[in-house]
Coordinates of all heavy atoms in Angstrom, one line a residue:
E1 N 99.0 43.7 116.4 CA 99.6 45.1 116.1 C 99.2 45.5 114.7 O 98.9 46.8 114.5 CB 101.2 45.0 116.0 CG 101.7 44.8 117.5 CD 103.2 44.6 117.5 OE1 103.8 44.1 116.4 OE2 103.9 44.8 118.5
K2 N 99.0 44.6 113.7 CA 98.5 45.0 112.4 C 97.0 45.3 112.5 O 96.6 46.3 111.8 CB 98.7 43.7 111.5 CG 100.0 43.5 111.0 CD 100.2 42.4 110.0 CE 101.6 42.2 109.5 NZ 101.7 41.1 108.6
Q3 N 96.2 44.7 113.4 CA 94.9 45.0 113.6 C 94.8 46.5 114.2 O 93.9 47.3 113.7 CB 94.3 44.0 114.5 CG 92.7 44.3 114.8 CD 92.1 43.3 115.7 OE1 92.7 42.2 116.0 NE2 90.9 43.5 116.1
K4 N 95.6 46.7 115.1 CA 95.7 48.0 115.6 C 96.1 49.1 114.7 O 95.4 50.2 114.6 CB 96.7 48.1 116.9 CG 96.9 49.4 117.6 CD 97.9 49.4 118.6 CE 98.2 50.7 119.2 NZ 99.2 50.7 120.3
A5 N 97.0 48.8 113.9 CA 97.4 49.8 112.7 C 96.3 50.0 111.8 O 96.0 51.0 111.2 CB 98.7 49.2 112.0
S6 N 95.6 48.8 111.4 CA 94.5 48.9 110.5 C 93.4 49.8 111.1 O 92.7 50.7 110.4 CB 93.9 47.5 110.2 OG 92.8 47.6 109.3
T7 N 93.0 49.7 112.3 CA 92.0 50.5 113.0 C 92.4 52.0 112.9 O 91.6 52.9 112.6 CB 91.8 50.0 114.4 OG1 91.3 48.6 114.4 CG2 90.6 50.8 115.1
E8 N 93.6 52.2 113.2 CA 94.1 53.6 113.2 C 94.1 54.2 111.8 O 93.7 55.3 111.7 CB 95.6 53.6 113.8 CG 96.2 55.1 113.7 CD 95.5 56.0 114.6 OE1 94.9 55.5 115.6 OE2 95.5 57.2 114.3
A9 N 94.3 53.3 110.8 CA 94.3 53.8 109.4 C 92.8 54.2 109.1 O 92.6 55.2 108.3 CB 94.9 52.8 108.4
F10 N 91.9 53.4 109.5 CA 90.5 53.7 109.3 C 90.1 55.0 110.0 O 89.4 55.9 109.4 CB 89.5 52.6 109.7 CG 89.2 51.7 108.6 CD1 89.8 50.4 108.7 CD2 88.3 52.0 107.7 CE1 89.5 49.4 107.7 CE2 88.0 51.1 106.7 CZ 88.6 49.8 106.7
I11 N 90.5 55.3 111.2 CA 90.3 56.5 111.9 C 90.8 57.6 111.1 O 90.1 58.7 111.0 CB 90.9 56.5 113.3 CG1 90.2 55.4 114.2 CG2 90.9 57.8 114.0 CD1 90.9 55.1 115.5
Q12 N 92.1 57.5 110.6 CA 92.6 58.7 109.9 C 91.9 58.9 108.5 O 91.8 60.1 108.1 CB 94.1 58.3 109.6 CG 95.0 58.3 110.9 CD 94.9 59.7 111.6 OE1 94.9 60.7 111.1 NE2 94.7 59.5 112.9
T13 N 91.4 57.8 107.8 CA 90.6 58.1 106.6 C 89.4 58.7 106.9 O 89.0 59.6 106.2 CB 90.4 56.5 106.0 OG1 91.6 55.9 105.7 CG2 89.6 56.7 104.7
V14 N 88.7 58.3 108.0 CA 87.5 59.0 108.3 C 87.7 60.5 108.6 O 86.9 61.4 108.2 CB 86.7 58.3 109.5 CG1 85.6 59.1 110.0 CG2 86.3 56.9 109.1
K15 N 88.7 60.7 109.4 CA 89.0 62.2 109.7 C 89.3 63.0 108.4 O 88.8 64.1 108.2 CB 90.2 62.2 110.6 CG 89.9 61.8 112.1 CD 91.2 61.9 113.0 CE 90.9 61.6 114.4 NZ 92.1 61.7 115.2
K16 N 90.1 62.3 107.5 CA 90.5 63.0 106.3 C 89.3 63.3 105.4 O 89.1 64.3 104.8 CB 91.5 62.3 105.6 CG 93.0 62.4 106.2 CD 93.9 61.5 105.4 CE 95.3 61.5 106.1 NZ 96.3 60.7 105.5
T17 N 88.4 62.3 105.4 CA 87.2 62.4 104.5 C 86.3 63.5 105.1 O 85.7 64.3 104.3 CB 86.4 61.0 104.6 OG1 87.3 60.0 104.1 CG2 85.2 61.1 103.7
I18 N 86.1 63.6 106.4 CA 85.4 64.7 106.9 C 86.0 66.1 106.6 O 85.2 67.0 106.2 CB 85.3 64.5 108.5 CG1 84.5 63.4 108.9 CG2 84.8 65.8 109.2 CD1 84.6 63.0 110.4
Q19 N 87.3 66.1 106.6 CA 87.9 67.4 106.3 C 87.7 67.7 104.8 O 87.6 68.9 104.4 CB 89.4 67.4 106.6 CG 89.7 67.3 108.1 CD 91.2 66.9 108.4 OE1 92.0 66.6 107.5 NE2 91.7 67.2 109.7
Y20 N 87.8 66.6 104.0 CA 87.5 66.7 102.7 C 86.2 67.2 102.3 O 86.0 68.2 101.4 CB 87.9 65.4 101.9 CG 87.5 65.4 100.5 CD1 88.3 65.9 99.5 CD2 86.3 64.6 100.1 CE1 87.9 65.9 98.1 CE2 85.9 64.5 98.7 CZ 86.8 65.2 97.8 OH 86.5 65.2 96.4
M21 N 85.2 66.7 102.9 CA 83.8 67.1 102.8 C 83.6 68.6 103.2 O 82.7 69.3 102.7 CB 82.8 66.1 103.5 CG 82.9 64.7 102.9 SD 81.9 63.6 103.8 CE 80.3 64.0 103.5
K22 N 84.4 68.9 104.2 CA 84.2 70.3 104.7 C 85.1 71.3 103.8 O 84.9 72.5 104.0 CB 84.8 70.4 106.1 CG 83.8 69.9 107.1 CD 84.4 70.0 108.5 CE 83.5 69.4 109.5 NZ 84.0 69.6 111.0
G23 N 85.9 70.8 102.9 CA 86.6 71.6 102.0 C 88.0 72.1 102.6 O 88.6 73.0 102.0
T24 N 88.4 71.5 103.7 CA 89.6 71.9 104.3 C 90.9 70.9 104.1 O 91.9 71.0 104.6 CB 89.4 72.0 106.0 OG1 89.0 70.6 106.3 CG2 88.3 73.0 106.2
Y25 N 90.6 69.9 103.3 CA 91.6 69.0 102.9 C 91.5 68.4 101.6 O 90.3 68.0 101.1 CB 91.6 67.8 103.9 CG 92.7 66.7 103.7 CD1 94.0 67.0 104.0 CD2 92.4 65.5 103.2 CE1 95.0 66.1 103.8 CE2 93.4 64.5 102.9 CZ 94.7 64.9 103.3 OH 95.7 63.9 103.1
D26 N 92.5 68.4 100.8 CA 92.5 67.8 99.4 C 92.8 66.3 99.4 O 94.0 66.0 99.4 CB 93.4 68.6 98.6 CG 93.4 68.2 97.1 OD1 92.4 67.6 96.7 OD2 94.3 68.5 96.3
M27 N 91.9 65.5 99.5 CA 92.0 64.1 99.6 C 92.2 63.4 98.2 O 91.3 63.6 97.4 CB 90.8 63.4 100.4 CG 91.1 62.0 100.8 SD 89.6 61.5 101.7 CE 90.3 59.9 102.5
S28 N 93.2 62.6 98.1 CA 93.4 61.9 96.9 C 92.6 60.7 96.7 O 92.1 60.2 97.8 CB 95.0 61.5 96.6 OG 95.2 60.5 97.6
D29 N 92.3 60.2 95.5 CA 91.5 59.1 95.3 C 92.2 57.7 96.0 O 91.5 56.9 96.6 CB 91.3 58.7 93.8 CG 90.4 59.8 93.1 OD1 89.6 60.3 93.9 OD2 90.5 59.9 92.0
K30 N 93.5 57.8 96.0 CA 94.2 56.6 96.6 C 93.9 56.5 98.0 O 93.8 55.5 98.7 CB 95.7 56.7 96.2 CG 96.6 55.5 96.9 CD 98.0 55.7 96.5 CE 98.9 54.6 97.0 NZ 100.3 54.7 96.7

C-alpha cells in the first residue's frame, strides 16, 4: 500500500511539474 501511494505521489509530482513548466501551476520547492 505504501508502494502504491509512493507511485501515485510520483505521478502527481510529474503532473504538477509539467503544469509548472507550462506556467499553469505555482509549484513550491517542497
Side-chain angles (χ1 to χ4, degrees):
E1 288 175 340
K2 287 182 177 179
Q3 183 178 349
K4 179 182 177 182
S6 176
T7 301
E8 180 59 33
F10 266 103
I11 292 172
Q12 293 304 316
T13 298
V14 172
K15 286 182 178 179
K16 289 178 181 178
T17 303
I18 292 171
Q19 293 172 346
Y20 171 74
M21 294 173 73
K22 289 180 176 180
T24 59
Y25 180 76
D26 185 16
M27 189 178 195
S28 69
D29 290 338
K30 183 178 180 180

